[in-house]
Amino acid sequence: MSDQRRERLRLEISREAARLFWEQGVAATGGDQIAEAVGLSTRTIWRHFRSKESCAEPIVMQGVVTLLSVMRSWPRESSLEEHLIDELTRLRHGSPPVSMADEMLAMKMIRLADTEPALRTAWLMACDQTERQMRSIIGGRMDRPDDDLDVRVHAAAAAAVIRVLDEHIGAAVLSGADLTEFSDVPELAARFARAIRTATGGVVGDPVA
């Protein structure tokens, strides 16, 4: 099986596992049920995942894919505000890298992680991947290696901003709260940019030569 096909299968399994976890709870969901929902053998599920809870990891990661893909394409000559506003607005009217259905499932798993330690692990693993990718992005803009201490500190701060805002937005969406503050995409993009600037002491956000 190719790596690409393996990742597609893992994501398909993850979607069904997440749906079951949300509908009936993690404790009430077994590997056999996940396998039946996907149309695979239980043995195949365990070939791809170490536990039933880890089945949530691929879909949880979908919650940060869009923003990370935008961050990776950040031109050196643009400010973070300009880039996030332009790209997130474009994606809203185009083809985002993650479907709305997957985004909603990711939100549900992140929300469920508040009371399910095993799912919290999956979310924190996704946040760790975010931080690692932010090291590369920030290191490139600072012309420093990814393992430079300042780069790591700023990457950790930026990743924390993404985690907290994603949790805040997801909780609001799933609770049926007033979503007016999130409906203005340019303002939401600017909010992420401002928070990252603040968290990094202004180091991350400006254009670079």
Side-chain angles (χ1 to χ4, degrees), residues 104-171:
M104 285 300 298
L105 273 176
M107 286 183 189
K108 289 176 177 178
M109 292 303 96
I110 293 167
R111 184 64 168 167
L112 200 56
D114 284 344
T115 55
E116 294 285 350
L119 294 186
R120 188 67 180 173
T121 298
W123 173 224
L124 293 179
M125 286 177 66
C127 294
D128 181 68
Q129 287 299 313
T130 300
E131 182 179 330
R132 290 174 184 275
Q133 294 192 43
M134 289 302 299
R135 287 185 203 170
S136 177
I137 294 164
I138 293 172
R141 296 186 74 83
M142 295 177 69
D143 294 319
R144 296 187 188 181
D146 296 1
D147 60 356
D148 177 86
L149 179 58
D150 286 342
V151 169
R152 293 186 63 185
V153 168
H154 296 317
V161 164
I162 294 170
R163 176 181 63 79
V164 170
L165 285 178
D166 275 355
E167 290 175 351
H168 175 67
I169 294 168

Side-chain angles (χ1 to χ4, degrees), residues 49-67:
F49 294 97
R50 65 188 180 278
S51 65
K52 68 176 183 182
E53 293 86 358
S54 69
C55 290
E57 290 171 7
I59 202 68
V60 167
M61 190 65 197
Q62 296 299 291
V64 295
V65 164
T66 298
L67 189 58

Side-chain angles (χ1 to χ4, degrees), residues 18-57:
R19 180 182 61 80
L20 289 168
F21 289 159
W22 183 256
E23 291 176 356
Q24 60 188 36
V26 176
T29 300
D32 291 343
Q33 288 179 293
I34 296 171
E36 182 179 356
V38 187
L40 298 171
S41 68
T42 305
R43 179 178 296 179
T44 300
I45 299 296
W46 301 141
R47 274 205 299 266
H48 290 278
F49 294 97
R50 65 188 180 278
S51 65
K52 68 176 183 182
E53 293 86 358
S54 69
C55 290
E57 290 171 7

Side-chain angles (χ1 to χ4, degrees), residues 73-79 137-143 206-209:
S73 67
W74 181 14
R76 292 174 67 86
E77 66 273 11
S78 297
S79 71
I137 294 164
I138 293 172
R141 296 186 74 83
M142 295 177 69
D143 294 319
D206 288 338
V208 294

Side-chain angles (χ1 to χ4, degrees), residues 92 169 178-189 191:
R92 183 183 186 186
I169 294 168
D178 182 2
L179 301 180
T180 302
E181 65 173 312
F182 309 123
S183 60
D184 185 334
V185 173
E187 175 53 34
L188 182 61
R191 184 175 186 178

